[in-house]
């Protein structure tokens, strides 16, 4: 898998330095470099790269303006690169896959490239599934009728592996596999892991769409549980029960969601 990449920075020395760092990765092909945001938008729309390393502070169109300027196409992955840490929160809010400080450290760049590879693999898997569905529809329409709707397929590329949480002025990158449970309070979600509790401003409905339902299920009007971390089902009154989690926490399953418990009973 070749990762077609564009570098965008108004400082030539910074671009050259990043190019040298990226030479360590055999799967990276730099298809263009840009000195400003307007040029970057043109090149991204023309060359359709997989990945863009994007400086935030540039004269004219800054990095965030570049992202907004390519939202009318299938956008690439973005990694923001800057010398100013105060832009980190806004960078993650712009859905950047990562955020690197200048000068870019080799170890941090290696971590970023691994994250990029995983995200691209998920995306390409989803695209391949859709391509095959189209082929089947053309050559075997009868068989295509038995395929599940595309929005019901559990392609891993549809769901988040990392969630960025802005809490108390900081950005926390939470691996979804470490999330034990999620509890709602209005438009705020409390994300609970084994060693931390973070507040995310998002609705339960929107958060559910980002998580794989094979692992994360709502068990109460205001609670989502990681089913992989359930260690015991404890019956309660009136058809309700408690799920005992790996940490020892108990989460009540209301009667409306008791079908979730059925998968633990064979």
């Amino acid at each position: 898998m070749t990762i077609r990449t564009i570098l965008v920075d108004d400082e030539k020395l910074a671009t050259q330095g990043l190019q040298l760092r990226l030479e360590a990765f055999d799967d990276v092909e730099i298809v263009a470099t840009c000195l400003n945001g307007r040029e970057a938008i043109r090149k991204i729309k023309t060359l359709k790269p997989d990945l863009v390393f994007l400086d935030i502070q540039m004269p004219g169109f800054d990095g965030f303006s570049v992202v907004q300027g390519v939202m009318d196409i299938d956008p690439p992955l973005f990694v923001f690169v800057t010398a100013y840490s105060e832009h980190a929160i806004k960078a993650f809010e712009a859905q950047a896959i990562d955020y690197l400080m200048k000068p870019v450290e080799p170890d941090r760049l290696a971590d970023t490239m691994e994250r990029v590879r995983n995200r691209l693999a998920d995306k390409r898997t989803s695209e391949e599934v859709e391509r095959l569905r189209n082929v089947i529809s053309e050559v075997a329409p009868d068989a295509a009728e038995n395929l599940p709707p595309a929005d019901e397929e559990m392609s891993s590329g549809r769901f988040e592996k990392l969630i960025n949480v802005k809490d108390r002025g900081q950005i926390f990158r939470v691996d979804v596999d470490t999330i034990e449970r999620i509890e709602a309070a209005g438009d705020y979600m409390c994300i609970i892991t084994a060693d931390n509790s973070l507040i995310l401003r998002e609705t339960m409905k929107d958060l559910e769409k980002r998580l794989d339902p094979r692992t994360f299920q709502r068990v109460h009007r205001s609670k989502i549980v990681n089913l992989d971390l359930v260690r015991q089902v404890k019956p309660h009154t009136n058809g309700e029960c408690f799920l005992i989690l790996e940490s020892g926490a108990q989460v009540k399953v209301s009667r409306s969601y008791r079908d979730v418990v059925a998968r633990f009973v064979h």
Side-chain angles (χ1 to χ4, degrees), residues 1-3 21-29 117:
M1 177 176 70
T2 299
I3 303 173
R21 294 281 194 229
L22 289 170
E23 287 178 359
F25 305 97
D26 295 335
D27 54 351
V28 174
E29 177 189 0
R117 292 186 193 96

Side-chain angles (χ1 to χ4, degrees), residues 18 27 60 150 207 247:
L18 184 54
D27 54 351
L207 189 56
S247 67

Side-chain angles (χ1 to χ4, degrees), residues 65-126:
S65 299
V66 172
V67 174
Q68 293 172 353
V70 297
M71 284 298 104
D72 58 335
I73 64 170
D74 185 14
L77 300 180
F78 287 100
V79 174
F80 284 111
V81 186
T82 185
Y84 303 97
S85 60
E86 63 267 23
H87 293 298
I89 290 176
K90 191 175 179 182
F92 284 124
E93 289 176 341
Q95 301 302 309
I97 192 170
D98 210 345
Y99 178 93
L100 297 175
M101 293 291 297
K102 297 179 181 180
V104 176
E105 296 292 332
D107 289 346
R108 272 291 287 122
L109 183 58
D111 291 342
T112 296
M113 291 310 304
E114 185 61 26
R115 189 170 294 123
V116 166
R117 292 186 193 96
N118 291 336
R119 184 71 66 86
L120 288 175
D122 287 343
K123 180 181 179 182
R124 288 171 179 174
T125 296
S126 300

